[in-house]
Amino acid sequence: MATVSFDKATRVYPGSTKPAVDQLELDVADGEFLVLVGPSGCGKSTSLRMLAGLEDVNGGSIRIGERDVTHLPPKDRDIAMVFQNYALYPHMSVADNMGFALKIAGVNKADIRKKVEEAAKILDLTEYLDRKPKALSGGQRQRVAMGRAIVREPQVFLMDEPLSNLDAKLRVSTRTQIASLQRRLGITTVYVTHDQVEAMTMGDRVAVLKDGLLQQVDSPRNMYDRPANLFVAGFIGSPAMNLVEVPITDGGVKFGNSVVPISREALSAAADRGDSTVTVGVRPEHFDIVEQGGGEAATSLSKDTADAPAGLAVTVNVVEELGADGYVYGDAQVGGEHKDLVVRVNGRAVPEKGAKLHVVPRPGETHVFASSTGERLSD
Ligand SMILES: Nc1ncnc2c1ncn2[C@@H]1O[C@H](COP(=O)(O)OP(=O)(O)OP(=O)(O)O)[C@@H](O)[C@H]1O
Ligand SMILES: [Mg+2]
């Protein structure tokens, strides 16, 4: 077992001036499951391949445990990698596929058989050991690829989108299997995915990358509750956080007919940046509906019966009913602009298309970001 540290690790591909991975600083604890996530092209695979020794490091360094591995060949790093296409050898049995690396390493037959059988037991592959890969389902092939990594008892597992060849349902069950297997084996793991749900459900911690730059490293909970900037706020969470740019008024921001209070620290931080607006983030589940109805039949849920109802008027365009919950996709006028918003509603009382909802962000559940720099201003 081992820790992994990226220390300002940088990769600039030949012919490019912009680094694909730019001064990555990341420490993975012994036994930790760390997920690298971000949109396509953000540098996830490059980071993993640098750790594996498959890609040159042009600046900074990488350590596994106490060893500086920056310029070591892959075979000397004591890692095992699981790729997106499992690349099983089609002419070999499952057992031979799983034991192949050990055979190359000169391990004797009896020891190989023992390790393969142990791994097969863990992965529920015992009855398939004599089959060829083509006679297996996608999920079973994926487990053989995992088995090939496990038998090597490496210090670190590296996985690059290992589930992306599986259908949606199998992906969900397999991600649970991999996460629980990793916890049982306790082997430090760096796992790459572009799927934020996969990242949030599997990782002890999640590292978000964008354009080769690390945005935030945090536990899934903190990442969701306190995204460090606008990018992370919009990337983590499904449906995504609502982000609206609103003018700063006395002590808060104007949200339709309501003023949403903002902490003095956040307001003065915005002023320090010379901003007259802030970008407020509200997750779909953090709106309170204060009034709901379709024009004349409007029913007021608020005690306040003044003419203009409190909050922001949202016109319902689409309603997604998921059983327990419903999501309203609507639009509203915010800060003089048309804005699409998503509001979670009770699945048993969903509004109709064309109806108007008046919503206010729940107190204490708003996120405030600098409109100019995107960084988080609220705590
Ligand atoms: N061999 C290469 N030569 C030149 N540029 C490369 C090479 N491999 C990757 N890149 C570029 O480096 C950047 C990061 O690529 P990388 O493969 O690390 O992205 P990724 O986050 O894994 O994306 P995806 O989710 O699509 O797999 C991209 O802009 C890509 O075009
Ligand atoms: Mg990739």
Side-chain angles (χ1 to χ4, degrees):
M1 296 218 279
T3 56
V4 168
S5 315
F6 290 86
D7 186 7
K8 295 196 165 60
T10 300
R11 173 63 175 148
V12 186
Y13 283 110
S16 173
T17 49
K18 202 176 146 298
V21 174
D22 198 352
Q23 308 209 26
L24 178 62
E25 294 260 11
L26 190 58
D27 290 311
V28 188
D30 189 18
E32 186 174 24
F33 194 121
L34 183 109
V35 181
L36 278 178
V37 69
S40 184
C42 70
K44 305 178 294 292
S45 295
T46 304
S47 303
L48 201 69
R49 292 169 56 82
M50 285 158 81
L51 174 55
L54 301 171
E55 211 65 76
D56 285 344
V57 178
N58 305 108
S61 62
I62 298 177
R63 279 197 322 273
I64 296 177
E66 295 306 309
R67 288 192 307 154
D68 185 329
V69 300
T70 316
H71 302 292
L72 283 186
K75 65 175 178 45
D76 297 336
R77 296 192 182 203
D78 203 1
I79 48 139
M81 192 146 168
V82 180
F83 294 95
Q84 172 178 346
N85 59 351
Y86 330 124
L88 301 178
Y89 299 108
H91 58 284
M92 288 185 197
S93 68
V94 166
D96 289 345
N97 263 288
M98 281 168 65
F100 189 66
L102 299 180
K103 188 175 164 191
I104 296 295
V107 177
N108 74 57
K109 266 191 177 156
D111 284 349
I112 295 178
R113 189 71 205 177
K114 187 160 159 275
K115 289 197 164 140
V116 166
E117 279 173 3
E118 279 169 10
K121 211 158 136 200
I122 294 173
L123 292 161
D124 218 0
L125 285 172
T126 305
E127 60 184 299
Y128 306 109
L129 282 175
D130 295 325
R131 286 202 197 170
K132 297 275 167 62
K134 70 169 188 297
L136 298 178
S137 72
Q140 289 161 345
R141 284 180 210 169
Q142 203 286 331
R143 298 213 296 277
V144 176
M146 288 291 297
R148 215 166 33 175
I150 290 175
V151 296
R152 296 172 54 190
E153 297 170 15
Q155 287 200 305
V156 186
F157 278 141
L158 308 184
M159 304 188 196
D160 194 347
E161 311 239 7
L163 306 184
S164 55
N165 283 351
L166 307 180
D167 66 43
K169 199 168 166 200
L170 197 54
R171 207 151 62 205
V172 171
S173 58
T174 311
R175 86 180 176 217
T176 321
Q177 282 170 4
I178 291 183
S180 73
L181 181 66
Q182 190 275 342
R183 249 132 246 175
R184 195 140 46 100
L185 298 174
I187 296 180
T188 311
T189 300
V190 183
Y191 183 104
V192 162
T193 178
H194 64 272
D195 180 343
Q196 60 92 18
V197 177
E198 215 169 281
M200 296 289 276
T201 51
M202 295 179 84
D204 293 318
R205 283 188 311 153
V206 176
V208 178
L209 281 175
K210 179 194 173 224
D211 296 336
L213 292 166
L214 183 63
Q215 306 291 304
Q216 183 171 1
V217 195
D218 233 322
S219 67
R221 181 82 267 159
N222 286 341
M223 192 73 83
Y224 192 80
D225 288 345
R226 296 192 74 255
N229 60 39
L230 273 177
F231 176 77
V232 177
F235 186 75
I236 298 289
S238 174
M241 186 188 284
N242 298 286
L243 294 165
V244 290
E245 191 178 339
V246 282
I248 301 169
T249 64
D250 212 13
V253 294
K254 208 156 158 47
F255 219 86
N257 296 325
S258 303
V259 172
V260 175
I262 301 284
S263 74
R264 199 172 314 171
E265 290 76 26
L267 290 177
S268 73
D272 290 347
R273 284 161 184 76
D275 292 357
S276 59
T277 65
V278 287
T279 300
V280 173
V282 185
R283 296 215 177 266
E285 68 271 30
H286 290 150
F287 280 116
D288 282 328
I289 299 172
V290 289
E291 179 158 308
Q292 175 169 335
E296 290 163 44
T299 49
S300 181
L301 304 177
S302 63
K303 291 189 194 83
D304 185 357
T305 49
D307 282 348
L312 186 66
V314 180
T315 306
V316 177
N317 294 329
V318 176
V319 181
E320 219 175 66
E321 291 194 54
L322 301 175
D325 298 318
Y327 286 100
V328 164
Y329 293 80
D331 63 84
Q333 287 284 128
V334 203
E337 277 180 60
H338 237 35
K339 186 79 197 163
D340 291 333
L341 290 180
V342 186
V343 180
R344 189 177 78 181
V345 295
N346 181 342
R348 295 263 153 87
V350 298
E352 280 173 23
K353 202 175 151 182
K356 251 198 174 96
L357 300 181
H358 284 263
V359 299
V360 286
R362 200 165 299 158
E365 299 285 8
T366 53
H367 306 255
V368 183
F369 303 96
S371 297
S372 51
T373 61
E375 71 202 290
R376 184 183 190 85
L377 299 178
S378 53
D379 32 70

